[in-house]
Amino acid sequence: MCGIVGYLGPQDAVPILLEGLARLEHRGYDSAGLAVLTDAGAVRVAKRAGRVRDLAAGLPKRFAGHLGIGHTRWATHGPATDANAHPHTDASGRVAVVHNGILDNAATLRARLAERGVPLTSDTDTEVLAHLVAAATADTLEEKVRQALGQVEGTWGLAVLHADHPGEIVVACNGSPLILGVGNGEMYVASDLAALVRHTTRVVMLEDGELATVTADGFTTSTGKGAQEIDVDPDSYEAGDHESFMRKEISEQPSAAESVLRGRLDERFGTTHLGGLNLDARESRAVRRVKILGCGSSYYVGQMGAGLIEELARVPADAEPASEFRYRNPIIELDTLYVAVSQSGETVDTLLAVQEIRRKGGRVIGLVNVVGSAIARACDGGIYLHAGPEVAVASTKALTNMFLGFALLALQLGRVRDLSVADGRRLVAALEQLPGKMKEVLDTEPQIAEIARELSRAESLFFVGRVRGYPVAREGAQKFKEITYRHAEAYPTSELKHGPLALIAPEVPTVAIVPADELTERNIGALHEIAARGGPLVVVTHPEVDLTGLDVRRIDVPRSEVELDPVLLTIPLQLLAYHAAQELGLDIDKPRNLAKSVTVE
């Protein structure tokens, strides 16, 4: 949930570190800091609460060095203060550490250090690492770090520099990713490709439990692995002409949809090609249940996916928050297919759930966006989402491609069972048309923006939908609350009269999902109940739905096949949240208290 950068080479490290931190600020932005090893052999540290721009503006004069590490923080232990910002140093100031993750036994270690008279200057768990490295008796910096890590429990991605070991940075990871970038006579360290792509496309992705010693001339890892070339467009990490990354990523949904569908649709047999699943037809037929695990938006789109799988494959399917899964000692069934969903492929709750399933002999596949990520590596197979880099904290195009990934999976599972070739071809044709229909939805943005400005004045909102529409409503409420900071709650439309209807009032708008399906009339009946109590209504619906007699703000989306309608109904809710947040003057890409990749429990 934080960002790490590092540099060793002939250039001044500070501008490179600041640029890298700015590119990682979506991963943590309540404080930032740098540590450099000067040519005179001293470790100099600058850090402060606030954004990277605040750090850059306050840097001391002649703050320079050819080796350095930097960090953007998302607070876990202690509030966002200058003292709690990374890097952290030992008492002598000769060791500096940046760290992502959580040390579970930090309180015990802090107490031991205090008993020994070691001064602790922050509230963080990370500070103990600097003191443990400084106290280690090994000769090399890598062994000092290894000794220190032998005393801690938890997760880490960390980078360490030491004044007594000039010319090298030692990095280690366990449950929190780190990447090495290989340049020409210079090396880079980062927790995300975004910080590296402007400098190099040769990278090393460290495995859990791995340590590496990095010098300007190269690196050595504990596993002896080498670098690989990655295919990435650096411009994809830029907002370009868009006022925010979220706005850019909303507009990229049609092209992202084309990418995830490309080469995977089989019109002749009405099915899909998903070789990455590592499931043949016999194994697919042996699946008796599907369990989907994700967090936040990934959980809500998992609910949409579960509905798709039940409809098309006629296999029981459900979704569950990955953050709760392993703590209830789940029963792992060998004929259940588990599906882990994560944009980053780093979400620690989901990764730990995957590890628990694998430990108990279950089969798990991943729907992830980042190639080579921890969850992708931990799964038995999967579907890469091919949405391209997603920088905004609020997920849009990756979420859309998650839905399409579930559609591809459901169609393949259905066709090895009882789904007819005619129905398969019907759905393949509809999937091919979805990118164009997404463009039609985006064309209605001016009307949606006007409605969003009205909704921005409400302190609390309801989002409601039934069956296929309910997870759409849940995702809509999630988007609205996370970037507008307004209270937004989702309910099944049928549950309104079982309690929530008491809160309906003129100052509490309801955003209702009302597709043209077998439940349209029942949904319209609920709208009348809301209107009778003075509740303002925004209805996301299809053009043929007749809302005569109701005073509503209407948003029409084009029809697809009924099973695929949820993905088109979701896009207006993204735009409602975006334009409401814009009207409120909020930082849309970096909502308060949140980070893009949740790599701590």
Side-chain angles (χ1 to χ4, degrees):
M1 300 185 66
C2 309
I4 288 176
V5 295
Y7 174 78
L8 311 86
Q11 303 183 63
D12 180 9
V14 173
I16 295 170
L17 296 176
L18 288 173
E19 178 202 15
L21 291 181
R23 293 184 182 279
L24 297 185
E25 200 168 16
H26 60 290
R27 298 177 67 99
Y29 41 91
D30 59 31
S31 60
L34 303 174
V36 296
L37 185 61
T38 69
D39 293 340
V43 175
R44 295 194 67 191
V45 175
K47 56 183 185 174
R48 65 183 299 172
R51 299 293 176 85
V52 173
R53 62 176 178 266
D54 301 319
L55 171 68
L59 283 178
K61 293 181 179 179
R62 294 182 294 278
F63 188 85
H66 298 292
L67 180 157
I69 55 178
H71 191 267
T72 58
R73 180 173 184 253
W74 185 87
T76 55
H77 290 69
T81 64
D82 292 355
N84 288 335
H86 297 215
H88 290 284
T89 62
D90 71 312
S92 71
R94 298 186 67 75
V95 176
V97 177
V98 293
H99 165 231
N100 293 347
I102 288 182
L103 305 184
D104 296 333
N105 61 338
T108 301
L109 293 171
R110 286 176 64 91
R112 289 178 189 169
L113 291 169
E115 288 173 3
R116 287 166 26 198
V118 175
L120 297 169
T121 59
S122 78
D123 304 312
T124 69
D125 54 343
T126 299
E127 185 183 359
V128 304
L129 286 169
H131 296 294
L132 293 176
V133 171
T137 57
D139 294 329
T140 68
L141 181 54
E142 182 173 321
E143 286 304 314
K144 287 180 183 290
V145 173
R146 196 184 304 276
Q147 283 185 5
L149 292 177
Q151 303 175 62
V152 304
E153 300 168 4
T155 58
W156 57 81
L158 60 89
V160 183
L161 61 81
H162 197 310
D164 296 342
H165 299 269
E168 64 185 71
I169 295 173
V170 170
V171 299
C173 71
N174 181 51
S176 189
L178 273 182
I179 305 168
L180 308 182
V182 182
N184 184 16
E186 55 191 348
M187 288 288 296
Y188 305 85
V189 175
S191 54
D192 191 296
L193 282 172
L196 302 178
V197 292
R198 287 291 176 188
H199 303 288
T200 182
T201 55
R202 292 188 64 216
V203 302
V204 181
M205 296 183 179
L206 299 184
E207 302 284 349
D208 274 0
E210 193 167 10
L211 280 81
T213 296
V214 186
T215 68
D217 296 324
F219 63 94
T220 58
T221 69
S222 53
T223 61
K225 66 165 55 177
Q228 60 179 304
E229 196 74 27
I230 55 169
D231 181 15
V232 62
D233 177 10
D235 289 337
S236 63
Y237 288 91
E238 305 287 350
D241 296 332
H242 299 279
E243 60 269 27
S244 69
F245 278 102
M246 185 177 178
R247 182 64 192 81
K248 172 178 180 277
E249 289 155 12
I250 288 173
S251 70
E252 288 174 341
Q253 286 175 108
S255 60
E258 290 173 349
S259 294
V260 74
L261 297 175
R262 187 175 298 120
R264 287 170 161 168
L265 297 176
D266 183 338
E267 192 277 334
R268 180 184 177 191
F269 294 107
T271 188
T272 59
H273 297 297
L274 299 172
L277 292 182
N278 299 324
L279 276 173
D280 61 25
R282 185 182 298 273
E283 291 169 317
S284 294
R285 284 189 63 86
V287 172
R288 291 291 173 264
R289 183 181 301 276
V290 177
K291 168 73 76 173
I292 299 166
L293 302 168
C295 297
S297 290
S298 296
Y299 163 49
Y300 301 138
V301 78
Q303 289 188 309
M304 300 180 205
L308 267 172
I309 290 167
E310 288 202 339
E311 282 193 86
L312 301 185
R314 303 308 297 158
V315 176
D318 69 301
E320 180 176 345
S323 53
E324 295 291 305
F325 179 73
R326 70 190 183 101
Y327 289 107
R328 60 176 182 79
N329 193 21
I331 298 168
I332 303 301
E333 300 169 308
L334 298 186
D335 57 2
T336 293
L337 179 64
Y338 296 88
V339 185
V341 192
S342 168
Q343 187 284 134
S344 66
E346 300 170 8
T347 311
V348 70
D349 292 305
T350 308
L351 176 61
L352 293 172
V354 170
Q355 292 169 346
E356 179 73 2
I357 294 165
R358 294 292 304 276
R359 191 177 297 115
K360 294 183 175 181
R363 180 191 286 270
V364 57
I365 63 171
L367 262 67
V368 299
N369 193 40
V370 179
V371 175
S373 56
I375 292 173
R377 296 196 305 269
C379 289
D380 295 292
I383 302 171
Y384 279 119
L385 302 177
H386 299 304
E390 189 176 69
V391 176
V393 168
S395 182
T396 53
K397 64 176 181 175
L399 180 138
T400 298
N401 278 24
M402 287 173 188
F403 179 92
L404 296 177
F406 278 118
L408 294 170
L409 175 62
L411 185 51
Q412 179 162 306
L413 291 176
R415 287 291 291 120
V416 299
R417 284 179 169 75
D418 300 322
L419 189 71
S420 69
V421 66
D423 273 332
R425 288 173 177 167
R426 171 178 64 84
L427 290 163
V428 166
L431 285 166
E432 290 175 334
Q433 294 167 6
L434 276 178
K437 292 180 182 294
M438 291 176 184
K439 292 176 183 176
E440 292 180 43
V441 177
L442 294 175
D443 287 342
T444 66
E445 183 173 0
Q447 173 205 355
I448 296 172
E450 180 184 342
I451 296 171
R453 285 189 283 271
E454 298 173 12
L455 292 181
S456 71
R457 295 191 284 270
E459 294 295 329
S460 185
L461 302 88
F462 278 118
F463 285 71
V464 299
R466 293 193 71 162
V467 188
R468 300 180 196 92
Y470 176 48
V472 174
R474 297 192 77 181
E475 167 57 20
Q478 169 91 348
K479 281 289 172 290
F480 208 89
K481 72 181 72 171
E482 68 184 341
I483 65 170
T484 71
Y485 316 147
R486 298 305 202 216
H487 172 256
E489 190 168 3
Y491 266 93
T493 308
S494 55
E495 283 292 297
L496 279 176
K497 56 184 172 293
H498 296 294
L501 206 58
L503 296 177
I504 295 298
E507 65 273 12
V508 182
T510 297
V511 179
I513 313 303
V514 183
D517 61 15
E518 69 277 13
L519 292 170
T520 303
E521 293 305 317
R522 291 190 179 276
N523 276 321
I524 291 174
L527 299 185
H528 281 282
E529 293 176 359
I530 294 168
R533 289 154 180 83
L537 280 163
V538 174
V539 182
V540 183
T541 187
H542 291 132
E544 61 266 44
V545 173
D546 184 1
L547 299 178
T548 302
L550 285 164
D551 181 14
V552 304
R553 299 302 305 270
R554 179 176 184 142
I555 300 171
D556 283 329
V557 302
R559 286 292 309 275
S560 180
E561 295 297 330
V562 67
E563 299 93 339
L564 304 178
D565 278 334
V567 71
L568 296 173
L569 294 165
T570 299
I571 295 173
L573 306 185
Q574 299 171 354
L575 290 166
L576 282 175
Y578 174 81
H579 284 286
Q582 190 178 52
E583 178 72 11
L584 293 166
L586 300 172
D587 190 340
I588 293 170
D589 286 339
K590 303 181 183 70
R592 69 186 183 199
N593 303 332
L594 301 177
K596 182 62 178 173
S597 301
V598 184
T599 56
V600 297
E601 286 193 87

